Amino acid sequence: MHYIIVDLEATCWDRATQTERKPNEIIEIGAVCVNEQKEIIGEFMAFVKPILNPTLSDFCVSLTTITQEQVDNAEYFPLVCSNFQTWIEGFDSAYFLCSWGNYDKGQFRHDCLLHNLPIEWLENHISVKHQYGKIRSKIGLVGMGKALKAEGFELEGTHHRGIDDARNISKIFIKYFEKWKY
Ligand code: AMP
Ligand code: MG
């Protein structure tokens, strides 16, 4: 079994000023692969070119630091998703997707359905956030930043960049490796 710690970034708008709700669409897939020996044995990072709202909002650029040029030069979701799945299968056909909360699974589902792609590959998934909240019940349901702090880990890289978020989540994943329920 291999564990794919994945974090997505998506198009977004400032919720305080947003008048009409627009659908979020993936703009980055960041992931690390952890083996049974608790080692990070690979990383995946790719930007994705969105189709519904191809122009990033200033809010989105500022939140994620992902630029318009980076998404303009990226491939569309079907190719990136296929590359991601090929990368996963290169380790093992038996895997669990692990993310901080259920957002990432839902966003993957949304974008797969948008592009008429299968969703069964998302089935094996755990929310590290919800399980962490039970394991460390005094801390409870918190954002990744708070959890890192509580565990004495540095938030390395840029928060809200998929690859950096995935690397940071993997620290918590590895620390409590024996505790996760699948
Ligand atoms: P995260 O993994 O926390 O970086 O968030 C994933 C995605 O959720 C971001 O790329 C945004 O699309 C959305 N998001 C996160 N935080 C906010 C926020 N404060 N306002 C609007 N959208 C957000
Ligand atoms: Mg993120």
Side-chain angles (χ1 to χ4, degrees):
M1 181 64 68
H2 283 71
Y3 306 92
I4 307 298
I5 321 303
V6 63
D7 188 89
L8 301 175
E9 301 307 324
T11 53
C12 53
W13 296 268
D14 188 350
R15 287 164 190 157
T17 56
Q18 190 183 6
T19 46
E20 43 153 349
R21 178 105 174 79
K22 292 187 206 167
N24 308 101
E25 210 180 340
I26 298 169
I27 56 172
E28 183 194 358
I29 302 176
V32 304
C33 177
V34 175
N35 66 11
E36 293 284 7
Q37 288 72 46
K38 304 193 247 182
E39 300 158 330
I40 295 178
I41 54 166
E43 288 195 350
F44 182 94
M45 196 295 287
F47 296 116
V48 181
K49 191 172 183 166
I51 58 167
L52 300 176
N53 293 286
T55 305
L56 300 184
S57 69
D58 292 343
F59 177 84
C60 184
V61 173
S62 136
L63 180 79
T64 64
T65 73
I66 296 168
T67 67
Q68 187 63 47
E69 197 185 6
Q70 284 170 322
V71 295
D72 284 346
N73 292 330
E75 301 291 349
Y76 291 112
F77 182 73
L79 180 57
V80 180
C81 190
S82 161
N83 290 344
F84 180 53
Q85 287 168 308
T86 304
W87 174 78
I88 295 172
E89 300 277 333
F91 299 106
D92 206 331
S93 55
Y95 64 88
F96 264 91
L97 299 173
C98 311
S99 57
W100 197 261
N102 291 311
Y103 161 77
D104 303 85
K105 182 180 180 179
Q107 187 67 59
F108 259 135
R109 187 176 185 278
H110 171 271
D111 286 44
C112 283
L113 295 176
L114 176 68
H115 292 274
N116 294 310
L117 296 171
I119 51 169
E120 291 74 22
W121 67 281
L122 296 167
E123 227 150 85
N124 290 343
H125 171 268
I126 64 161
S127 165
V128 175
K129 174 181 178 171
H130 289 84
Q131 291 199 29
Y132 176 80
K134 281 190 186 159
I135 296 164
R136 301 281 267 123
S137 54
K138 279 189 185 145
I139 298 169
L141 275 189
V142 290
M144 180 198 74
K146 267 199 178 160
L148 287 169
K149 209 167 195 178
E151 299 304 325
F153 293 128
E154 288 279 321
L155 198 164
E156 288 175 289
T158 307
H159 194 192
H160 301 303
R161 267 300 311 275
I163 185 62
D164 290 332
D165 287 353
R167 286 174 182 154
N168 282 311
I169 296 162
S170 74
K171 296 175 194 175
I172 296 171
F173 180 80
I174 288 168
K175 178 165 180 179
Y176 293 98
F177 188 82
E178 288 77 17
K179 300 257 186 224
W180 309 116
K181 294 199 169 68
Y182 299 97

